[in-house]
Coordinates of all heavy atoms in Angstrom, one line a residue:
F1321 N -6.9 20.4 9.7 CA -7.4 21.2 10.8 C -7.9 20.3 11.9 O -8.7 19.4 11.6 CB -8.5 22.1 10.3 CG -8.1 23.0 9.1 CD1 -8.4 22.6 7.8 CD2 -7.4 24.2 9.3 CE1 -8.1 23.4 6.7 CE2 -7.0 25.0 8.3 CZ -7.4 24.6 7.0
M1322 N -7.6 20.6 13.1 CA -8.2 19.9 14.2 C -9.7 20.2 14.2 O -10.1 21.4 14.0 CB -7.6 20.4 15.6 CG -6.2 19.9 15.7 SD -5.5 20.4 17.3 CE -4.4 21.7 16.8
R1323 N -10.5 19.2 14.5 CA -12.0 19.4 14.3 C -12.4 19.8 12.9 O -13.4 20.5 12.8 CB -12.6 20.5 15.3 CG -12.4 20.1 16.7 CD -13.6 19.3 17.2 NE -13.3 18.8 18.5 CZ -13.6 19.5 19.7 NH1 -14.1 20.6 19.6 NH2 -13.3 19.0 20.8
Q1324 N -11.7 19.2 11.9 CA -12.2 19.5 10.6 C -13.5 18.9 10.2 O -14.2 19.3 9.4 CB -11.1 19.2 9.5 CG -10.7 17.7 9.5 CD -9.4 17.5 8.6 OE1 -8.6 18.4 8.4 NE2 -9.3 16.3 8.1
A1325 N -13.8 17.8 10.9 CA -15.2 17.2 10.8 C -16.0 17.7 12.0 O -15.7 17.2 13.1 CB -15.0 15.7 10.8
G1326 N -16.9 18.6 11.8 CA -17.6 19.2 13.0 C -18.8 20.0 12.5 O -19.1 20.1 11.3
R1327 N -19.3 20.7 13.5 CA -20.6 21.3 13.3 C -20.6 22.5 12.4 O -21.7 23.0 12.0 CB -21.2 21.8 14.7 CG -21.8 20.7 15.4 CD -22.1 21.2 16.8 NE -20.8 21.6 17.4 CZ -20.7 21.9 18.7 NH1 -21.7 21.9 19.5 NH2 -19.5 22.2 19.2
Y1332 N -22.0 17.6 8.0 CA -21.8 17.0 9.3 C -23.1 17.1 10.1 O -23.6 16.1 10.6 CB -20.7 17.7 10.1 CG -20.5 17.2 11.5 CD1 -19.8 16.1 11.8 CD2 -21.2 17.9 12.5 CE1 -19.6 15.7 13.1 CE2 -21.1 17.4 13.8 CZ -20.3 16.3 14.1 OH -20.2 15.9 15.4
K1336 N -25.2 13.9 11.2 CA -25.3 13.7 12.7 C -26.8 13.6 13.1 O -27.2 12.9 14.0 CB -24.6 14.8 13.4 CG -24.6 14.6 14.9 CD -23.7 15.6 15.6 CE -23.7 15.4 17.1 NZ -24.5 16.4 17.9
I1341 N -22.9 13.0 20.0 CA -21.6 12.8 19.4 C -21.0 11.4 19.7 O -20.4 10.8 18.9 CB -20.6 13.9 19.9 CG1 -19.2 13.6 19.6 CG2 -20.7 14.3 21.3 CD1 -18.8 14.1 18.3
I1368 N -8.5 12.9 9.8 CA -8.4 12.5 11.2 C -9.6 11.5 11.6 O -10.7 11.8 11.2 CB -8.3 13.7 12.2 CG1 -8.2 13.2 13.7 CG2 -9.4 14.7 12.0 CD1 -7.5 14.1 14.6
L1369 N -9.2 10.5 12.3 CA -10.2 9.5 12.8 C -11.3 10.2 13.4 O -11.1 11.2 14.2 CB -9.5 8.6 13.8 CG -10.3 7.6 14.6 CD1 -10.8 6.5 13.6 CD2 -9.5 7.0 15.7
F1370 N -12.6 9.9 13.2 CA -13.7 10.5 13.9 C -14.0 9.8 15.2 O -14.5 8.6 15.1 CB -14.9 10.7 13.0 CG -15.9 11.6 13.7 CD1 -15.8 13.0 13.6 CD2 -16.8 11.1 14.6 CE1 -16.6 13.9 14.3 CE2 -17.6 12.0 15.3 CZ -17.5 13.4 15.1
A1371 N -13.7 10.4 16.3 CA -13.9 9.8 17.6 C -13.9 11.0 18.6 O -14.0 12.1 18.2 CB -12.9 8.8 17.9
D1372 N -13.7 10.7 19.9 CA -13.5 11.8 20.9 C -12.5 11.3 21.9 O -12.5 10.1 22.2 CB -14.8 12.2 21.5 CG -14.7 13.5 22.3 OD1 -14.8 14.5 21.7 OD2 -14.3 13.4 23.5
I1373 N -11.8 12.2 22.5 CA -10.8 11.8 23.5 C -11.4 11.1 24.7 O -10.7 10.3 25.4 CB -9.8 12.9 24.0 CG1 -10.6 14.0 24.7 CG2 -9.0 13.5 22.9 CD1 -9.8 15.0 25.5
M1374 N -12.7 11.3 25.0 CA -13.3 10.8 26.2 C -13.6 9.3 26.1 O -13.8 8.6 27.1 CB -14.6 11.6 26.5 CG -14.3 13.0 26.8 SD -13.2 13.4 28.1 CE -14.1 12.8 29.5
I1386 N -21.3 14.0 26.8 CA -20.7 15.1 26.2 C -21.9 16.0 25.8 O -22.7 15.7 25.0 CB -19.9 14.8 24.9 CG1 -18.7 13.9 25.3 CG2 -19.3 16.0 24.2 CD1 -17.8 13.4 24.2
E1387 N -21.9 17.2 26.5 CA -23.1 18.1 26.2 C -22.7 19.1 25.2 O -21.6 19.7 25.2 CB -23.5 18.8 27.6 CG -24.1 17.7 28.5 CD -24.6 18.4 29.8 OE1 -24.6 19.6 29.9 OE2 -25.1 17.6 30.6
E1388 N -23.7 19.3 24.3 CA -23.5 20.3 23.2 C -23.2 21.7 23.8 O -23.8 22.1 24.7 CB -24.7 20.3 22.3 CG -24.3 20.5 20.9 CD -25.3 20.0 19.9 OE1 -25.8 18.8 20.1 OE2 -25.5 20.7 18.9
N1389 N -22.2 22.3 23.2 CA -21.7 23.6 23.6 C -21.1 23.7 25.0 O -20.8 24.8 25.4 CB -22.9 24.7 23.5 CG -23.4 24.7 22.0 OD1 -22.6 24.7 21.1 ND2 -24.7 24.8 21.9
V1390 N -21.0 22.6 25.7 CA -20.4 22.6 27.0 C -19.1 21.7 26.9 O -18.0 22.2 27.2 CB -21.3 22.0 28.1 CG1 -20.6 21.9 29.4 CG2 -22.6 22.8 28.2
G1391 N -19.3 20.5 26.4 CA -18.2 19.6 26.4 C -18.4 18.4 27.4 O -19.6 18.2 27.8
P1392 N -17.4 17.7 27.7 CA -17.6 16.5 28.6 C -18.0 16.9 30.0 O -17.5 17.8 30.6 CB -16.2 15.8 28.6 CG -15.5 16.4 27.4 CD -16.0 17.8 27.2
F1439 N -5.7 9.2 17.2 CA -5.4 10.1 18.3 C -5.8 9.5 19.6 O -6.6 8.6 19.7 CB -6.0 11.5 18.1 CG -7.5 11.5 18.1 CD1 -8.1 11.7 19.3 CD2 -8.2 11.3 17.0 CE1 -9.5 11.7 19.4 CE2 -9.6 11.3 17.1 CZ -10.3 11.5 18.3
Y1449 N -10.3 16.2 33.1 CA -11.8 16.1 33.0 C -12.3 15.1 34.1 O -13.4 15.4 34.7 CB -12.1 15.5 31.6 CG -12.1 16.5 30.5 CD1 -11.2 16.4 29.5 CD2 -13.1 17.5 30.5 CE1 -11.2 17.4 28.4 CE2 -13.1 18.5 29.5 CZ -12.2 18.4 28.4 OH -12.2 19.3 27.4
V1455 N -15.4 21.1 31.8 CA -14.3 21.9 31.2 C -14.1 23.1 32.1 O -15.1 23.8 32.5 CB -14.7 22.4 29.8 CG1 -13.5 23.3 29.2 CG2 -15.0 21.3 28.9
F1502 N -3.4 14.5 22.3 CA -3.9 15.8 22.7 C -3.7 16.0 24.2 O -4.4 15.4 25.0 CB -5.4 15.8 22.4 CG -5.8 16.0 21.0 CD1 -6.1 14.9 20.2 CD2 -5.9 17.3 20.4 CE1 -6.5 15.0 18.8 CE2 -6.2 17.4 19.0 CZ -6.6 16.3 18.3
S1504 N -4.4 18.9 25.6 CA -5.0 20.2 25.4 C -4.8 21.2 26.6 O -4.5 22.4 26.4 CB -6.4 20.1 25.1 OG -6.6 19.2 24.0
W1505 N -4.9 20.7 27.8 CA -4.9 21.6 28.9 C -3.6 21.7 29.7 O -3.5 22.3 30.8 CB -6.1 21.3 29.8 CG -7.4 21.2 29.1 CD1 -8.3 20.2 29.3 CD2 -7.9 22.0 28.0 NE1 -9.4 20.4 28.4 CE2 -9.2 21.5 27.6 CE3 -7.5 23.2 27.4 CZ2 -9.9 22.0 26.6 CZ3 -8.3 23.8 26.4 CH2 -9.5 23.2 26.0
F1537 N 0.1 17.7 20.8 CA -0.6 19.0 20.8 C -0.8 19.5 22.2 O -1.2 18.7 23.1 CB -1.9 18.9 20.1 CG -2.8 20.1 20.4 CD1 -2.5 21.3 19.7 CD2 -3.8 20.1 21.3 CE1 -3.3 22.4 20.0 CE2 -4.6 21.2 21.5 CZ -4.3 22.4 20.9
H1616 N -5.8 25.7 17.4 CA -6.7 24.8 18.1 C -7.9 24.4 17.2 O -7.7 24.7 16.0 CB -7.2 25.5 19.4 CG -7.6 24.6 20.5 ND1 -7.6 24.9 21.8 CD2 -7.9 23.2 20.5 CE1 -7.9 23.9 22.6 NE2 -8.1 22.9 21.8
Ligands
CP3_1841 O1 -12.2 16.4 12.9 C1 -11.9 16.1 14.2 O2 -10.9 16.6 14.7 C2 -13.0 15.2 14.8 C3 -12.6 14.3 15.8 C4 -12.5 14.8 17.2 C5 -13.6 15.2 18.1 N1 -13.1 15.5 19.3 C6 -15.0 15.1 17.8 C7 -15.9 16.0 18.5 C8 -11.3 15.0 18.0 C9 -9.9 14.9 17.5 C10 -11.7 15.4 19.3 C11 -10.7 15.7 20.4 C12 -11.2 16.3 21.6 N2 -12.4 16.1 22.3 C13 -10.3 17.1 22.4 C14 -8.9 17.4 22.1 C15 -8.8 18.6 21.2 C16 -9.1 19.9 21.8 O3 -10.1 20.5 21.4 O4 -8.4 20.3 22.7 C17 -11.1 17.5 23.6 C18 -10.6 18.4 24.7 C19 -12.3 16.8 23.5 C20 -13.5 16.9 24.5 C21 -14.6 17.5 23.8 N3 -15.5 16.8 23.0 C22 -15.0 18.9 23.8 C23 -14.3 20.0 24.5 C24 -16.1 19.0 22.9 C25 -16.8 20.3 22.5 C26 -18.1 20.6 23.1 C27 -18.9 21.6 22.3 O5 -20.1 21.2 22.0 O6 -18.4 22.6 21.8 C28 -16.4 17.7 22.5 C29 -17.5 17.4 21.5 C30 -17.0 17.0 20.1 N4 -16.1 16.1 19.8 C31 -17.5 17.6 18.9 C32 -16.8 17.0 17.9 C33 -17.1 17.2 16.4 C34 -18.6 18.7 18.8 C35 -20.0 18.2 19.3 C36 -21.0 17.7 18.4 O7 -20.8 17.7 17.1 O8 -22.0 17.4 18.9

Side-chain angles (χ1 to χ4, degrees):
F1321 304 99
M1322 291 181 255
R1323 293 275 169 85
Q1324 63 191 22
R1327 278 168 304 187
Y1332 173 87
K1336 182 169 180 256
I1341 166 87
I1368 179 155
L1369 173 68
F1370 192 85
D1372 192 88
I1373 61 164
M1374 301 302 292
I1386 299 181
E1387 289 186 4
E1388 214 154 316
N1389 301 316
V1390 177
F1439 69 90
Y1449 280 114
V1455 184
F1502 284 98
S1504 305
W1505 312 134
F1537 168 75
H1616 210 156

